[in-house]
Amino acid sequence: MPGGRFPVRNRADLANAIRAVGRVQPPTEEARSKVRRFLIKRAKAIGASADIPDTWSADGSLKN
């Protein structure tokens, strides 16, 4: 992400970033959705789309 937060260069970075989504500042759902969208995009770029949690929608929201 811009500013160097959540650097995702490989699958290990992706796993760490997925676990860190709950610590996003500001602690709003909008901010978390933005980070989830970024992580989904990075996962596709590194061929790790299968590592994205099933509870995440493509738009970054959480599935019910």
Side-chain angles (χ1 to χ4, degrees), residues 6-55:
F6 294 97
V8 178
R9 295 174 296 269
N10 53 46
R11 289 181 102 126
D13 289 345
L14 179 63
N16 289 335
I18 288 170
R19 284 192 300 274
V21 169
R23 297 189 303 261
V24 169
Q25 292 296 321
T28 63
E29 186 53 33
E30 181 180 336
R32 289 182 191 111
S33 290
K34 184 176 180 180
V35 171
R36 285 191 291 264
R37 283 191 305 271
F38 169 76
L39 294 177
I40 291 167
K41 192 181 305 184
R42 287 299 302 141
K44 287 179 184 175
I46 64 173
S49 294
D51 294 348
I52 295 296
D54 294 335
T55 57

